[in-house]
Amino acid sequence: MDIDKDKILISHSPHLWKGFSTTKLMYMVVIALLLPMGAGIYFFGLSAVYIILASVITCFLTELAIKKFRKKQFVNDGSAVITGILFALVLPPRMPIWMVVVGAIFAIAVVKEAFGGLGHNIFNPALGGRAFLAVSFPQQMTTWVAPSGFNADAVTTATPLGQSFAHEGSKASLYWDMFIGNTGGSIGETSALLIILGGIFLLAFRIIEWRIPVFYIGTVALLSYVFGSDPLFSILAGGLMIGAFFMATDYVTSPTTSNGKIIFGVGLGLLTVLIRRFGALPEGVAYSILIMNAFTPLIDKYLKRKPFGFQKKEAA
């Protein structure tokens, strides 16, 4: 069969699927993110609103300014909005706004645009921005407050993964609080319920595949059991859920093949458990995803599908 090579378009991800343009794919993700974002606003009030707005506006304006500076066409495809929302959702609820702005600029300018923009970045921009703030402002990035809704007063507390965390009540009530989001933590990571519903929305429309979140969460549960920890507590605590459904499944920074996604998910779970158990940080989701992002090109190289009829040239 003759193939007109001029009609074949080879491009970086995200790729078009089922009539969905890149812009439509991005705003479908935004719709799914409304669920954990709503939970964050409900539990942490106006401060969460201010952080989300500051992050989204900064990401959008930073990308617009850099495109103008590089004399590249700016396409409002929604990717900057997603980065802004995700970056806000992985921040503490009382983070100073100017630090949010600094981190959002870093996420877009350094982690995304310095590599060439959407489709060329190696690391997840939102998590890159979070890692930058974690080393720049460690105190503010580890100061947590208890959910207080729209009350102005805030009470500092530890997250469930913190050594000083204490819970009054039964284990079942702890699980329930962690499931609905009534615990300390980042703005969008506490409500496993709404994150899962958002993930189901993305799975139903095949915006994401099931392999990465299932193998990521499954590996964390299995290894937690092997190491003598509570598997249910391990998967409900911290940023595992939002990382598994919304960060690790990023089209650009995750493998393209099915087997590659399985390896990626298992690697994420292994790193998360090792960091949590043996590292200096109580949480390991952000760094495990960033580390596995670096392995994505290698995974794709060895697991990419061979074109039909492809024959390897023999050495002369």
Side-chain angles (χ1 to χ4, degrees), residues 206-260:
R206 298 180 63 186
I207 306 297
I208 64 172
E209 283 197 1
W210 59 271
R211 290 176 179 82
I212 291 177
V214 167
F215 278 90
Y216 187 3
I217 296 171
T219 301
V220 170
L222 176 62
L223 292 181
S224 297
Y225 176 78
V226 170
F227 283 119
S229 301
D230 183 341
L232 183 56
F233 179 89
S234 297
I235 64 176
L236 291 176
L240 178 62
M241 286 294 176
I242 194 167
F245 285 105
F246 289 98
M247 303 284 197
T249 53
D250 176 23
Y251 288 123
V252 179
T253 57
S254 62
T256 56
T257 64
S258 297
N259 288 336

